[in-house]
Amino acid sequence: MSTSTITDLPSYAVAFLGLGVMGDPMAGHLARAGHRVTVYNRTASKAQDWVRRNGGRAAPTPRAAAAGADFVFSCVGNDDDLRSVTLGAEGALAGMAPGAVFVDHTTTSADVARELGAEAHERGLFFLDAPVSGGQAGAQNGALTVMCGGDAAAFERAQPVVKAYARAVTRLGGHGAGQLCKMVNQIAIAGVVQSLSEALAFGERAGLDLNTVLQVIGKGAAQSWQMDNRGPTMIEGRYDFGFAVDLMRKDFGLCLDEARHNGARLPLLALVDQFYADVQAAGGGRLDTSSLLTRLRDKMV
């Protein structure tokens, strides 16, 4: 019995909108999986550079990129950015053929996911909100975790294609469910990074060899992905690993806004959000999220 691989999949016409630190490698994985990729980026030179490195073609508008595509993917900045590439005369939805699937990897509000899901349905299209976890390294290595909301049949169609850059692709429910799951992810990360920062700052003040400390406690109940992957770099004062403080605060804002609607209490998240505001105020908005440690050392960013 043969084993199916990514390269055994059909070759689709796909579009990718947004070629930032996440979108660029994700689109590259689609090209290497054999799909015919058209890219769009607000800064056209980035799209042309992507084509030079990966093949395919660049389009001048989201609508032009989406024309004739079986799947359209996006990874942009926020709700307004997503609306700008989907809606209007030059938006992707205007160019998509009936039955095509739009897969959005932006971290947005659940409200905009529901809004665009309804708009796509009216046009005979499908929309999946599909935020990701795994950061820049996950995108580059094709090892992202993807959390999806939307129509089950559309998800089944899109899942094998998304696996070009993902190790796990899971549907959580209807439109908005993927975004709500991403909020749970960010809430969980907040406390872990702050606790790790406090632990390292304490160990440093105590005069311990922190790398040895991590080797010891990393074998016990304190172990976490953040400890394994960011602990050593935090000790070195290196904070250039992709997902920035500015973006995390944007995500925290989405979580806190949703909590105001559903009645959830997020006291720790609200506190850590203010700690990240301190990092921003010290000029560290583009540092990665492990830079919370800078607040607890003698010298800020």
Side-chain angles (χ1 to χ4, degrees), residues 30-65:
L30 289 169
R32 286 187 289 277
H35 301 299
R36 304 180 302 281
V37 183
T38 300
V39 294
Y40 165 81
N41 195 75
R42 184 167 50 189
T43 303
S45 59
K46 286 189 175 181
Q48 295 293 343
D49 178 64
W50 187 93
V51 169
R52 282 193 292 272
R53 290 182 282 112
N54 298 280
R57 67 184 185 91
T61 65
R63 178 174 182 164

Side-chain angles (χ1 to χ4, degrees), residues 13 22 49 58 89 106 115 142 148 170 187 193 229 262 294 300:
M22 301 291 288
D49 178 64
T106 313
E115 171 192 334
C148 296
T170 306
I187 293 166
V193 179
N229 290 274
N262 69 19
T294 62
M300 279 284 282

Side-chain angles (χ1 to χ4, degrees), residues 5-15 29-38 68-71 73 157 160-161:
T5 66
I6 288 293
T7 55
D8 296 325
L9 295 174
S11 173
Y12 291 107
V14 305
H29 285 297
L30 289 169
R32 286 187 289 277
H35 301 299
R36 304 180 302 281
V37 183
T38 300
D70 302 296
F71 298 92
F73 300 89
R157 288 170 54 196
V161 184

Side-chain angles (χ1 to χ4, degrees), residues 109-111 113-115 117-118 127-131 147-152 155 170-181:
S109 68
D111 285 343
R114 298 182 189 109
E115 171 192 334
F127 180 89
L128 298 173
D129 53 288
M147 313 157 220
C148 296
D151 181 80
F155 171 79
T170 306
R171 177 178 176 268
L172 283 302
H175 293 126
Q179 295 298 344
L180 293 172
C181 183

Side-chain angles (χ1 to χ4, degrees), residues 83-285:
R83 289 189 180 98
S84 75
V85 298
T86 53
L87 302 176
E90 295 303 324
L93 297 185
M96 293 170 67
V101 181
F102 193 107
V103 183
D104 175 45
H105 293 304
T106 313
T107 296
T108 68
S109 68
D111 285 343
V112 79
R114 298 182 189 109
E115 171 192 334
L116 293 176
E119 180 69 24
H121 178 74
E122 288 185 7
R123 295 170 180 258
L125 307 171
F126 296 95
F127 180 89
L128 298 173
D129 53 288
V132 302
S133 180
Q136 183 177 353
Q140 292 170 341
N141 296 328
L144 293 169
T145 295
V146 185
M147 313 157 220
C148 296
D151 181 80
F155 171 79
E156 292 300 325
R157 288 170 54 196
Q159 183 184 35
V161 184
V162 175
K163 282 188 173 179
Y165 45 79
R167 63 179 178 182
V169 187
T170 306
R171 177 178 176 268
L172 283 302
H175 293 126
Q179 295 298 344
L180 293 172
C181 183
K182 179 61 182 286
M183 293 177 199
V184 173
N185 183 82
Q186 303 303 70
I187 293 166
I189 287 173
V192 174
V193 179
Q194 176 61 20
S195 295
L196 179 58
S197 299
E198 292 183 15
L200 291 176
F202 175 89
E204 191 169 64
R205 294 274 184 170
L208 298 173
D209 183 314
L210 293 183
N211 285 299
T212 301
V213 168
L214 288 185
Q215 292 173 19
V216 173
I217 68 174
K219 295 180 175 65
Q223 186 274 337
S224 69
W225 185 97
Q226 296 290 339
M227 179 180 290
D228 291 347
N229 290 274
R230 292 284 75 82
T233 56
M234 291 166 74
I235 292 170
E236 296 172 6
R238 296 169 54 204
Y239 307 112
D240 57 349
F241 293 91
F243 196 72
V245 168
D246 289 342
L247 295 177
M248 185 61 108
R249 288 211 72 208
K250 185 254 315 186
D251 290 1
F252 283 4
L254 294 172
C255 297
L256 292 165
D257 185 60
E258 187 68 31
R260 282 188 283 271
H261 292 296
N262 69 19
R265 292 181 292 175
L266 302 176
L268 179 58
L269 183 77
L271 183 61
V272 177
D273 181 53
Q274 290 307 302
F275 293 162
Y276 276 125
D278 292 343
V279 177
Q280 285 179 316

